[in-house]
mmCIF file of all heavy atoms in Angstrom:
data_model
loop_
_atom_site.group_PDB
_atom_site.id
_atom_site.type_symbol
_atom_site.label_atom_id
_atom_site.label_comp_id
_atom_site.label_asym_id
_atom_site.label_seq_id
_atom_site.Cartn_x
_atom_site.Cartn_y
_atom_site.Cartn_z
ATOM 1 N N TYR A 196 94.895 72.623 45.625
ATOM 2 C CA TYR A 196 93.622 72.813 44.929
ATOM 3 C C TYR A 196 93.487 71.802 43.787
ATOM 4 O O TYR A 196 94.473 71.431 43.153
ATOM 5 C CB TYR A 196 93.526 74.226 44.352
ATOM 6 C CG TYR A 196 93.448 75.314 45.400
ATOM 7 C CD1 TYR A 196 94.601 75.787 46.010
ATOM 8 C CD2 TYR A 196 92.228 75.847 45.772
ATOM 9 C CE1 TYR A 196 94.538 76.787 46.973
ATOM 10 C CE2 TYR A 196 92.158 76.847 46.740
ATOM 11 C CZ TYR A 196 93.304 77.311 47.333
ATOM 12 O OH TYR A 196 93.239 78.289 48.285
ATOM 13 N N GLN A 197 92.252 71.406 43.555
ATOM 14 C CA GLN A 197 91.906 70.620 42.378
ATOM 15 C C GLN A 197 90.633 71.195 41.777
ATOM 16 O O GLN A 197 89.811 71.793 42.486
ATOM 17 C CB GLN A 197 91.697 69.137 42.729
ATOM 18 C CG GLN A 197 92.985 68.396 43.050
ATOM 19 C CD GLN A 197 92.729 66.933 43.354
ATOM 20 O OE1 GLN A 197 92.353 66.581 44.470
ATOM 21 N NE2 GLN A 197 92.932 66.079 42.364
ATOM 22 N N PHE A 198 90.449 70.976 40.467
ATOM 23 C CA PHE A 198 89.312 71.582 39.781
ATOM 24 C C PHE A 198 88.616 70.547 38.896
ATOM 25 O O PHE A 198 89.232 69.617 38.373
ATOM 26 C CB PHE A 198 89.768 72.763 38.923
ATOM 27 C CG PHE A 198 90.356 73.890 39.718
ATOM 28 C CD1 PHE A 198 91.722 73.945 39.965
ATOM 29 C CD2 PHE A 198 89.550 74.883 40.236
ATOM 30 C CE1 PHE A 198 92.269 74.979 40.706
ATOM 31 C CE2 PHE A 198 90.084 75.926 40.982
ATOM 32 C CZ PHE A 198 91.450 75.965 41.216
ATOM 33 N N ALA A 199 87.311 70.765 38.754
ATOM 34 C CA ALA A 199 86.498 70.007 37.810
ATOM 35 C C ALA A 199 85.476 70.971 37.225
ATOM 36 O O ALA A 199 85.171 72.004 37.831
ATOM 37 C CB ALA A 199 85.804 68.826 38.488
ATOM 38 N N VAL A 200 84.955 70.660 36.050
ATOM 39 C CA VAL A 200 83.947 71.528 35.430
ATOM 40 C C VAL A 200 82.770 70.693 34.952
ATOM 41 O O VAL A 200 82.887 69.492 34.712
ATOM 42 C CB VAL A 200 84.532 72.326 34.235
ATOM 43 C CG1 VAL A 200 85.623 73.261 34.686
ATOM 44 C CG2 VAL A 200 85.033 71.387 33.153
ATOM 45 N N ARG A 201 81.636 71.369 34.855
ATOM 46 C CA ARG A 201 80.468 70.766 34.227
ATOM 47 C C ARG A 201 79.745 71.844 33.442
ATOM 48 O O ARG A 201 79.910 73.042 33.705
ATOM 49 C CB ARG A 201 79.537 70.134 35.253
ATOM 50 C CG ARG A 201 78.899 71.096 36.247
ATOM 51 C CD ARG A 201 78.061 70.334 37.261
ATOM 52 N NE ARG A 201 77.495 71.195 38.296
ATOM 53 C CZ ARG A 201 76.815 70.747 39.353
ATOM 54 N NH1 ARG A 201 76.621 69.443 39.514
ATOM 55 N NH2 ARG A 201 76.330 71.580 40.252
ATOM 56 N N TYR A 202 78.949 71.428 32.485
ATOM 57 C CA TYR A 202 78.206 72.373 31.657
ATOM 58 C C TYR A 202 76.949 72.822 32.380
ATOM 59 O O TYR A 202 76.358 72.085 33.177
ATOM 60 C CB TYR A 202 77.844 71.741 30.315
ATOM 61 C CG TYR A 202 79.041 71.398 29.469
ATOM 62 C CD1 TYR A 202 79.485 70.089 29.357
ATOM 63 C CD2 TYR A 202 79.739 72.392 28.779
ATOM 64 C CE1 TYR A 202 80.596 69.768 28.587
ATOM 65 C CE2 TYR A 202 80.848 72.082 28.006
ATOM 66 C CZ TYR A 202 81.264 70.762 27.915
ATOM 67 O OH TYR A 202 82.364 70.461 27.157
ATOM 68 N N GLN A 203 76.532 74.049 32.073
ATOM 69 C CA GLN A 203 75.350 74.636 32.692
ATOM 70 C C GLN A 203 74.502 75.282 31.602
ATOM 71 O O GLN A 203 75.009 76.047 30.782
ATOM 72 C CB GLN A 203 75.773 75.678 33.730
ATOM 73 C CG GLN A 203 74.631 76.239 34.567
ATOM 74 C CD GLN A 203 75.153 77.179 35.647
ATOM 75 O OE1 GLN A 203 76.238 77.734 35.528
ATOM 76 N NE2 GLN A 203 74.393 77.342 36.706
ATOM 77 N N SER A 204 73.200 74.933 31.574
ATOM 78 C CA SER A 204 72.300 75.467 30.554
ATOM 79 C C SER A 204 71.750 76.820 30.977
ATOM 80 O O SER A 204 71.959 77.287 32.106
ATOM 81 C CB SER A 204 71.150 74.497 30.311
ATOM 82 O OG SER A 204 70.284 74.458 31.439
ATOM 83 N N ASP A 205 71.012 77.453 30.055
ATOM 84 C CA ASP A 205 70.388 78.743 30.360
ATOM 85 C C ASP A 205 69.415 78.643 31.524
ATOM 86 O O ASP A 205 69.202 79.612 32.259
ATOM 87 C CB ASP A 205 69.655 79.279 29.130
ATOM 88 C CG ASP A 205 70.608 79.616 28.000
ATOM 89 O OD1 ASP A 205 71.821 79.721 28.266
ATOM 90 O OD2 ASP A 205 70.145 79.773 26.857
ATOM 91 N N THR A 206 68.793 77.471 31.683
ATOM 92 C CA THR A 206 67.799 77.292 32.740
ATOM 93 C C THR A 206 68.417 76.825 34.051
ATOM 94 O O THR A 206 67.703 76.578 35.012
ATOM 95 C CB THR A 206 66.738 76.273 32.289
ATOM 96 O OG1 THR A 206 67.382 75.023 31.969
ATOM 97 C CG2 THR A 206 65.990 76.776 31.065
ATOM 98 N N GLY A 207 69.747 76.656 34.086
ATOM 99 C CA GLY A 207 70.414 76.236 35.316
ATOM 100 C C GLY A 207 70.646 74.753 35.424
ATOM 101 O O GLY A 207 71.248 74.288 36.405
ATOM 102 N N ASP A 208 70.152 73.969 34.449
ATOM 103 C CA ASP A 208 70.394 72.528 34.466
ATOM 104 C C ASP A 208 71.872 72.251 34.223
ATOM 105 O O ASP A 208 72.549 72.974 33.480
ATOM 106 C CB ASP A 208 69.552 71.832 33.401
ATOM 107 C CG ASP A 208 68.062 71.976 33.662
ATOM 108 O OD1 ASP A 208 67.679 71.980 34.842
ATOM 109 O OD2 ASP A 208 67.289 72.100 32.694
ATOM 110 N N THR A 209 72.388 71.185 34.834
ATOM 111 C CA THR A 209 73.820 70.897 34.742
ATOM 112 C C THR A 209 74.056 69.447 34.355
ATOM 113 O O THR A 209 73.213 68.574 34.575
ATOM 114 C CB THR A 209 74.526 71.165 36.076
ATOM 115 O OG1 THR A 209 73.888 70.388 37.111
ATOM 116 C CG2 THR A 209 74.472 72.637 36.451
ATOM 117 N N THR A 210 75.225 69.201 33.775
ATOM 118 C CA THR A 210 75.698 67.858 33.492
ATOM 119 C C THR A 210 76.532 67.375 34.676
ATOM 120 O O THR A 210 76.866 68.168 35.563
ATOM 121 C CB THR A 210 76.556 67.841 32.223
ATOM 122 O OG1 THR A 210 77.756 68.603 32.474
ATOM 123 C CG2 THR A 210 75.809 68.444 31.038
ATOM 124 N N PRO A 211 76.918 66.089 34.716
ATOM 125 C CA PRO A 211 77.885 65.657 35.732
ATOM 126 C C PRO A 211 79.242 66.338 35.517
ATOM 127 O O PRO A 211 79.537 66.855 34.445
ATOM 128 C CB PRO A 211 77.979 64.146 35.507
ATOM 129 C CG PRO A 211 76.696 63.776 34.847
ATOM 130 C CD PRO A 211 76.338 64.949 33.987
ATOM 131 N N PHE A 212 80.071 66.315 36.549
ATOM 132 C CA PHE A 212 81.376 66.955 36.486
ATOM 133 C C PHE A 212 82.379 66.117 35.706
ATOM 134 O O PHE A 212 82.269 64.888 35.622
ATOM 135 C CB PHE A 212 81.929 67.192 37.898
ATOM 136 C CG PHE A 212 81.358 68.407 38.585
ATOM 137 C CD1 PHE A 212 80.376 68.274 39.547
ATOM 138 C CD2 PHE A 212 81.817 69.675 38.257
ATOM 139 C CE1 PHE A 212 79.858 69.386 40.188
ATOM 140 C CE2 PHE A 212 81.296 70.796 38.889
ATOM 141 C CZ PHE A 212 80.316 70.655 39.859
ATOM 142 N N SER A 213 83.372 66.800 35.174
ATOM 143 C CA SER A 213 84.517 66.123 34.578
ATOM 144 C C SER A 213 85.383 65.532 35.692
ATOM 145 O O SER A 213 85.215 65.886 36.869
ATOM 146 C CB SER A 213 85.339 67.125 33.765
ATOM 147 O OG SER A 213 85.951 68.072 34.645
ATOM 148 N N PRO A 214 86.334 64.651 35.363
ATOM 149 C CA PRO A 214 87.273 64.183 36.398
ATOM 150 C C PRO A 214 88.099 65.340 36.944
ATOM 151 O O PRO A 214 88.329 66.346 36.276
ATOM 152 C CB PRO A 214 88.154 63.185 35.627
ATOM 153 C CG PRO A 214 87.331 62.756 34.458
ATOM 154 C CD PRO A 214 86.515 63.951 34.086
ATOM 155 N N LEU A 215 88.555 65.186 38.175
ATOM 156 C CA LEU A 215 89.391 66.208 38.801
ATOM 157 C C LEU A 215 90.752 66.277 38.124
ATOM 158 O O LEU A 215 91.306 65.267 37.688
ATOM 159 C CB LEU A 215 89.582 65.895 40.285
ATOM 160 C CG LEU A 215 88.391 66.175 41.211
ATOM 161 C CD1 LEU A 215 88.634 65.528 42.564
ATOM 162 C CD2 LEU A 215 88.192 67.679 41.381
ATOM 163 N N CYS A 216 91.297 67.476 38.053
ATOM 164 C CA CYS A 216 92.649 67.642 37.529
ATOM 165 C C CYS A 216 93.660 67.273 38.620
ATOM 166 O O CYS A 216 93.299 67.022 39.776
ATOM 167 C CB CYS A 216 92.863 69.074 37.059
ATOM 168 S SG CYS A 216 92.941 70.283 38.400
ATOM 169 N N ASN A 217 94.940 67.248 38.267
ATOM 170 C CA ASN A 217 95.990 66.995 39.250
ATOM 171 C C ASN A 217 95.983 68.075 40.330
ATOM 172 O O ASN A 217 95.572 69.209 40.074
ATOM 173 C CB ASN A 217 97.364 66.978 38.573
ATOM 174 C CG ASN A 217 97.605 65.696 37.809
ATOM 175 O OD1 ASN A 217 96.964 64.680 38.062
ATOM 176 N ND2 ASN A 217 98.538 65.736 36.872
ATOM 177 N N PRO A 218 96.458 67.754 41.541
ATOM 178 C CA PRO A 218 96.533 68.764 42.603
ATOM 179 C C PRO A 218 97.484 69.903 42.225
ATOM 180 O O PRO A 218 98.526 69.691 41.598
ATOM 181 C CB PRO A 218 97.066 67.980 43.804
ATOM 182 C CG PRO A 218 96.734 66.552 43.521
ATOM 183 C CD PRO A 218 96.823 66.405 42.038
ATOM 184 N N ILE A 219 97.106 71.109 42.617
ATOM 185 C CA ILE A 219 97.922 72.304 42.373
ATOM 186 C C ILE A 219 98.261 72.914 43.731
ATOM 187 O O ILE A 219 97.372 73.386 44.438
ATOM 188 C CB ILE A 219 97.165 73.333 41.512
ATOM 189 C CG1 ILE A 219 96.720 72.693 40.184
ATOM 190 C CG2 ILE A 219 98.025 74.556 41.265
ATOM 191 C CD1 ILE A 219 95.791 73.575 39.372
ATOM 192 N N PRO A 220 99.534 72.923 44.125
ATOM 193 C CA PRO A 220 99.894 73.499 45.422
ATOM 194 C C PRO A 220 100.026 75.018 45.328
ATOM 195 O O PRO A 220 100.480 75.551 44.319
ATOM 196 C CB PRO A 220 101.249 72.855 45.723
ATOM 197 C CG PRO A 220 101.842 72.625 44.373
ATOM 198 C CD PRO A 220 100.694 72.326 43.433
ATOM 199 N N ILE A 221 99.607 75.689 46.380
ATOM 200 C CA ILE A 221 99.771 77.140 46.482
ATOM 201 C C ILE A 221 100.502 77.435 47.786
ATOM 202 O O ILE A 221 100.070 77.002 48.866
ATOM 203 C CB ILE A 221 98.416 77.868 46.458
ATOM 204 C CG1 ILE A 221 97.770 77.716 45.088
ATOM 205 C CG2 ILE A 221 98.574 79.340 46.807
ATOM 206 C CD1 ILE A 221 98.516 78.398 43.951
ATOM 207 N N VAL A 222 101.626 78.137 47.700
ATOM 208 C CA VAL A 222 102.370 78.549 48.892
ATOM 209 C C VAL A 222 102.213 80.054 49.072
ATOM 210 O O VAL A 222 101.883 80.774 48.125
ATOM 211 C CB VAL A 222 103.857 78.161 48.779
ATOM 212 C CG1 VAL A 222 104.006 76.661 48.646
ATOM 213 C CG2 VAL A 222 104.521 78.865 47.595
ATOM 214 N N ASP A 223 102.454 80.501 50.309
ATOM 215 C CA ASP A 223 102.159 81.912 50.595
ATOM 216 C C ASP A 223 103.301 82.849 50.230
ATOM 217 O O ASP A 223 103.105 84.057 50.159
ATOM 218 C CB ASP A 223 101.770 82.104 52.063
ATOM 219 C CG ASP A 223 102.762 81.467 53.023
ATOM 220 O OD1 ASP A 223 103.759 80.894 52.531
ATOM 221 O OD2 ASP A 223 102.546 81.528 54.244
ATOM 222 N N GLU A 224 104.527 82.332 49.979
ATOM 223 C CA GLU A 224 105.617 83.216 49.591
ATOM 224 C C GLU A 224 105.530 83.572 48.110
ATOM 225 O O GLU A 224 104.975 82.818 47.309
ATOM 226 C CB GLU A 224 106.984 82.562 49.851
ATOM 227 C CG GLU A 224 107.302 82.334 51.312
ATOM 228 C CD GLU A 224 106.867 80.954 51.772
ATOM 229 O OE1 GLU A 224 106.261 80.229 50.961
ATOM 230 O OE2 GLU A 224 107.124 80.621 52.916
ATOM 231 N N LEU A 225 106.116 84.706 47.772
ATOM 232 C CA LEU A 225 106.274 85.088 46.383
ATOM 233 C C LEU A 225 107.689 84.720 45.934
ATOM 234 O O LEU A 225 108.615 84.615 46.747
ATOM 235 C CB LEU A 225 106.046 86.599 46.209
ATOM 236 C CG LEU A 225 104.669 87.118 46.623
ATOM 237 C CD1 LEU A 225 104.600 88.630 46.394
ATOM 238 C CD2 LEU A 225 103.561 86.409 45.864
ATOM 239 N N GLN A 226 107.887 84.526 44.654
ATOM 240 C CA GLN A 226 109.192 84.122 44.158
ATOM 241 C C GLN A 226 110.250 85.197 44.383
ATOM 242 O O GLN A 226 111.457 84.919 44.340
ATOM 243 C CB GLN A 226 109.109 83.771 42.673
ATOM 244 C CG GLN A 226 108.352 82.487 42.395
ATOM 245 C CD GLN A 226 108.463 82.032 40.945
ATOM 246 O OE1 GLN A 226 109.225 82.586 40.163
ATOM 247 N NE2 GLN A 226 107.688 81.009 40.594
ATOM 248 N N SER A 227 109.818 86.405 44.670
ATOM 249 C CA SER A 227 110.770 87.494 44.899
ATOM 250 C C SER A 227 111.611 87.272 46.155
ATOM 251 O O SER A 227 112.687 87.879 46.306
ATOM 252 C CB SER A 227 110.033 88.831 44.998
ATOM 253 O OG SER A 227 109.078 88.795 46.056
ATOM 254 N N VAL A 228 111.186 86.372 47.066
ATOM 255 C CA VAL A 228 111.977 86.103 48.274
ATOM 256 C C VAL A 228 113.201 85.258 47.945
ATOM 257 O O VAL A 228 114.100 85.111 48.783
ATOM 258 C CB VAL A 228 111.125 85.407 49.359
ATOM 259 C CG1 VAL A 228 109.922 86.249 49.716
ATOM 260 C CG2 VAL A 228 110.714 84.000 48.921
ATOM 261 N N GLY A 229 113.241 84.697 46.755
ATOM 262 C CA GLY A 229 114.371 83.860 46.371
ATOM 263 C C GLY A 229 114.093 82.392 46.602
ATOM 264 O O GLY A 229 113.249 82.011 47.429
ATOM 265 N N ARG A 230 114.860 81.561 45.899
ATOM 266 C CA ARG A 230 114.594 80.116 45.937
ATOM 267 C C ARG A 230 114.820 79.537 47.329
ATOM 268 O O ARG A 230 114.059 78.677 47.790
ATOM 269 C CB ARG A 230 115.491 79.412 44.928
ATOM 270 C CG ARG A 230 115.240 77.912 44.821
ATOM 271 C CD ARG A 230 116.195 77.260 43.833
ATOM 272 N NE ARG A 230 115.876 75.855 43.672
ATOM 273 C CZ ARG A 230 116.225 74.912 44.527
ATOM 274 N NH1 ARG A 230 116.887 75.224 45.633
ATOM 275 N NH2 ARG A 230 115.887 73.646 44.306
ATOM 276 N N ASP A 231 115.863 79.972 48.039
ATOM 277 C CA ASP A 231 116.188 79.378 49.331
ATOM 278 C C ASP A 231 115.130 79.661 50.394
ATOM 279 O O ASP A 231 114.914 78.849 51.304
ATOM 280 C CB ASP A 231 117.551 79.884 49.810
ATOM 281 C CG ASP A 231 118.692 79.374 48.943
ATOM 282 O OD1 ASP A 231 118.474 78.355 48.252
ATOM 283 O OD2 ASP A 231 119.767 79.996 48.940
ATOM 284 N N LEU A 232 114.469 80.814 50.324
ATOM 285 C CA LEU A 232 113.435 81.164 51.304
ATOM 286 C C LEU A 232 112.032 80.766 50.847
ATOM 287 O O LEU A 232 111.069 80.960 51.586
ATOM 288 C CB LEU A 232 113.468 82.666 51.591
ATOM 289 C CG LEU A 232 114.752 83.195 52.230
ATOM 290 C CD1 LEU A 232 114.662 84.700 52.424
ATOM 291 C CD2 LEU A 232 115.025 82.485 53.554
ATOM 292 N N TYR A 233 111.958 80.236 49.641
ATOM 293 C CA TYR A 233 110.671 79.778 49.103
ATOM 294 C C TYR A 233 110.461 78.360 49.604
ATOM 295 O O TYR A 233 111.091 77.411 49.128
ATOM 296 C CB TYR A 233 110.728 79.806 47.577
ATOM 297 C CG TYR A 233 109.395 79.818 46.871
ATOM 298 C CD1 TYR A 233 108.658 80.989 46.770
ATOM 299 C CD2 TYR A 233 108.887 78.672 46.272
ATOM 300 C CE1 TYR A 233 107.444 81.020 46.105
ATOM 301 C CE2 TYR A 233 107.685 78.680 45.599
ATOM 302 C CZ TYR A 233 106.960 79.854 45.519
ATOM 303 O OH TYR A 233 105.763 79.877 44.848
ATOM 304 N N THR A 234 109.587 78.197 50.613
ATOM 305 C CA THR A 234 109.537 76.935 51.355
ATOM 306 C C THR A 234 109.068 75.764 50.516
ATOM 307 O O THR A 234 109.374 74.620 50.818
ATOM 308 C CB THR A 234 108.610 77.063 52.575
ATOM 309 O OG1 THR A 234 107.286 77.379 52.119
ATOM 310 C CG2 THR A 234 109.108 78.157 53.499
ATOM 311 N N GLY A 235 108.266 76.029 49.502
ATOM 312 C CA GLY A 235 107.768 74.919 48.684
ATOM 313 C C GLY A 235 106.549 74.247 49.268
ATOM 314 O O GLY A 235 105.988 73.347 48.676
ATOM 315 N N ALA A 236 106.143 74.652 50.482
ATOM 316 C CA ALA A 236 104.927 74.119 51.088
ATOM 317 C C ALA A 236 104.427 75.140 52.083
ATOM 318 O O ALA A 236 105.120 75.477 53.037
ATOM 319 C CB ALA A 236 105.183 72.784 51.777
ATOM 320 N N GLY A 237 103.230 75.669 51.852
ATOM 321 C CA GLY A 237 102.700 76.703 52.732
ATOM 322 C C GLY A 237 101.948 76.131 53.912
ATOM 323 O O GLY A 237 101.512 74.977 53.906
ATOM 324 N N GLN A 238 101.841 76.919 54.973
ATOM 325 C CA GLN A 238 101.010 76.538 56.104
ATOM 326 C C GLN A 238 99.546 76.767 55.721
ATOM 327 O O GLN A 238 99.187 77.842 55.269
ATOM 328 C CB GLN A 238 101.375 77.381 57.321
ATOM 329 C CG GLN A 238 102.808 77.204 57.793
ATOM 330 C CD GLN A 238 103.079 75.795 58.271
ATOM 331 O OE1 GLN A 238 102.252 75.194 58.956
ATOM 332 N NE2 GLN A 238 104.232 75.256 57.904
ATOM 333 N N THR A 239 98.737 75.753 55.903
ATOM 334 C CA THR A 239 97.335 75.882 55.515
ATOM 335 C C THR A 239 96.674 77.019 56.271
ATOM 336 O O THR A 239 96.999 77.300 57.420
ATOM 337 C CB THR A 239 96.577 74.568 55.797
ATOM 338 O OG1 THR A 239 96.694 74.249 57.181
ATOM 339 C CG2 THR A 239 97.132 73.438 54.959
ATOM 340 N N GLU A 240 95.749 77.674 55.608
ATOM 341 C CA GLU A 240 94.967 78.799 56.106
ATOM 342 C C GLU A 240 95.714 80.125 56.005
ATOM 343 O O GLU A 240 95.146 81.170 56.317
ATOM 344 C CB GLU A 240 94.479 78.586 57.557
ATOM 345 C CG GLU A 240 93.749 77.266 57.779
ATOM 346 C CD GLU A 240 92.597 77.046 56.805
ATOM 347 O OE1 GLU A 240 91.927 78.019 56.441
ATOM 348 O OE2 GLU A 240 92.381 75.890 56.399
#
Side-chain angles (χ1 to χ4, degrees):
Y196 293 82
Q197 288 181 278
F198 297 91
V200 297
R201 64 183 176 186
Y202 296 103
Q203 187 175 23
S204 69
D205 294 344
T206 58
D208 296 325
T209 56
T210 66
F212 280 102
S213 68
L215 285 167
C216 70
N217 284 339
I219 303 171
I221 293 294
V222 299
D223 50 1
E224 294 92 356
L225 300 180
Q226 290 189 8
S227 59
V228 302
R230 184 182 184 281
D231 292 339
L232 297 178
Y233 200 79
T234 61
Q238 298 296 318
T239 58
E240 308 307 325

